[in-house]
């Protein structure tokens, strides 16, 4: 199998000193590529350097809703300049979005809308953080007349919310949440959505699957998430993996052989 971790914070300190081992462990399970989102200007260079350091690591650039207060209009201008130069390995805008549990929509929304506009202008997919904000994210995308591709990462919501986002061209990120029995609403949604609307992710080191300590998630956990997803949907894991690879390739606009090299 060839798996892609569509959203993994592999630049975070949790992986300092162990990145080679973690990549090797993930590769044994079939993980061929990682996509590392940038969350603030201070991290963009680090994320880019990490992606340039190893085959199969890609990156995105964005301003996360948790960190909007530390940015200025000049940072948005710089983001646009960097995206407009189409740097090697950069395949998306994000992580951006809205969070109903931290900060306020009033503060976050202008930053999210600005990044939707940048993604449209430079023809990049969006990587969206949406926590207790699925309806607000949907409204913002509609307001900007979004017609591109987007990943609603770490989805935790209802089938109805997911379906509305899929209808706008969004892919739904499937991560460790589905491995927890208590996440009944999300598990039901993921089981019912079309397989063509799903992509795998870990959000490592966060969003730990069942049995993994908080803050210790890893791209090596991706095969276990696939197995859980296959069981929920009553599908063969290998056949499902092929569909998911095609999905993530469409999302990020790279062929399967380029995004997730075999060797």
């Amino acid at each position: 199998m060839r798996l892609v971790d569509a959203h993994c914070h592999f630049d975070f300190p949790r992986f300092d000193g162990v990145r080679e081992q973690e990549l090797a462990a993930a590769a044994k399970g079939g993980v061929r590529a990682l996509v590392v989102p940038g969350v603030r200007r201070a991290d963009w260079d680090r994320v880019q350097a990490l992606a340039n350091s190893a085959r199969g690591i890609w990156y995105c650039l964005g301003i996360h809703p948790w960190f909007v207060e530390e940015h200025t209009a000049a940072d948005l201008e710089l983001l646009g300049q960097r995206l407009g130069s189409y740097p090697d390995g950069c395949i998306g805008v994000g992580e951006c979005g809205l969070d109903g549990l931290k900060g306020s929509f009033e503060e976050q929304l202008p930053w999210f809308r600005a990044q939707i506009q940048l993604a449209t202008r430079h023809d990049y997919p969006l990587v969206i953080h949406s926590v207790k904000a699925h309806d607000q994210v949907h409204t913002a995308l509609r307001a900007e007349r979004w017609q591109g591709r987007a990943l609603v990462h770490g989805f935790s919501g209802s089938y109805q919310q997911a379906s509305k986002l899929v209808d706008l061209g969004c892919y739904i990120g499937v991560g460790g949440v589905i491995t927890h029995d208590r996440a009944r609403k999300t598990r039901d949604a993921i089981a019912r959505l079309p397989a063509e609307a799903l992509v795998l992710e870990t959000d490592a080191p966060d969003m730990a699957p069942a049995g993994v300590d908080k803050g210790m998630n890893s791209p090596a956990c991706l095969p276990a998430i696939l197995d859980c997803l296959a069981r929920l949907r009553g599908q063969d894991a290998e056949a499902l993996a092929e569909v998911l690879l095609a999905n993530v390739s469409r999302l990020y606009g790279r062929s399967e052989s380029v995004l997730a090299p075999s060797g």
Side-chain angles (χ1 to χ4, degrees):
M1 291 188 293
R2 282 187 293 160
L3 307 179
V4 176
D5 190 341
H7 187 105
C8 172
H9 296 282
F10 204 55
D11 61 312
F12 279 17
R14 178 267 190 252
F15 297 106
D16 288 353
V18 295
R19 285 190 178 85
E20 288 189 8
Q21 299 95 305
E22 292 285 355
L23 285 175
K28 286 183 179 179
V31 179
R32 294 290 179 263
L34 318 175
V35 181
V36 183
V39 298
R40 63 214 301 186
R41 176 179 176 172
D43 298 344
W44 293 344
D45 287 342
R46 184 182 72 218
V47 167
Q48 183 174 9
L50 173 62
N52 290 340
S53 71
R55 188 171 181 236
I57 300 181
W58 304 83
Y59 72 102
C60 306
L61 296 176
I63 298 173
H64 191 290
W66 291 1
F67 306 117
V68 295
E69 290 184 351
E70 68 183 59
H71 292 85
T72 67
D75 298 316
L76 275 176
E77 183 176 353
L78 176 61
L79 179 58
Q81 292 171 357
R82 293 184 70 152
L83 293 169
S85 70
Y86 299 98
D88 289 344
C90 183
I91 58 175
V93 177
E95 181 175 353
C96 59
L98 301 171
D99 194 309
L101 295 181
K102 190 168 183 177
S104 72
F105 290 147
E106 183 178 6
E107 293 174 341
Q108 297 166 8
L109 187 57
W111 295 89
F112 181 36
R113 293 188 65 165
Q115 290 175 90
I116 298 172
Q117 293 163 15
L118 286 175
T120 298
R121 186 178 311 148
H122 299 294
D123 193 26
Y124 281 100
L126 282 166
V127 176
I128 300 174
H129 173 102
S130 179
V131 174
K132 302 293 184 181
H134 297 322
D135 295 335
Q136 291 81 0
V137 164
H138 182 270
T139 297
L141 291 171
R142 285 285 301 274
E144 293 296 334
R145 299 181 180 180
W146 175 251
Q147 295 183 329
R149 307 174 311 280
L151 168 63
V152 179
H153 109 83
F155 181 80
S156 179
S158 70
Y159 172 75
Q160 291 75 18
Q161 289 173 319
S163 294
K164 287 175 62 178
L165 292 165
V166 169
D167 287 344
L168 280 183
C170 295
Y171 290 85
I172 301 300
V174 180
V177 170
I178 67 164
T179 67
H180 296 276
D181 291 338
R182 65 180 181 275
R184 289 187 294 272
K185 181 171 63 174
T186 301
R187 285 160 62 94
D188 173 71
I190 298 303
R192 295 167 61 191
L193 287 170
E196 291 75 16
L198 307 177
V199 298
L200 288 178
E201 61 168 319
T202 62
D203 196 32
D206 299 319
M207 210 163 72
V212 176
D213 290 341
K214 183 178 180 180
M216 294 304 293
N217 196 7
S218 162
C221 295
L222 203 65
I225 296 170
L226 169 64
D227 287 345
C228 180
L229 177 62
R231 289 195 302 273
L232 283 176
R233 297 180 61 85
Q235 293 183 256
D236 174 75
E238 291 193 10
L240 181 57
E242 292 182 7
V243 175
L244 297 169
L245 177 60
N247 295 348
V248 73
S249 298
R250 285 193 299 270
L251 166 64
Y252 285 121
R254 297 293 188 278
S255 69
E256 296 175 10
S257 60
V258 170
L259 181 66
S262 298

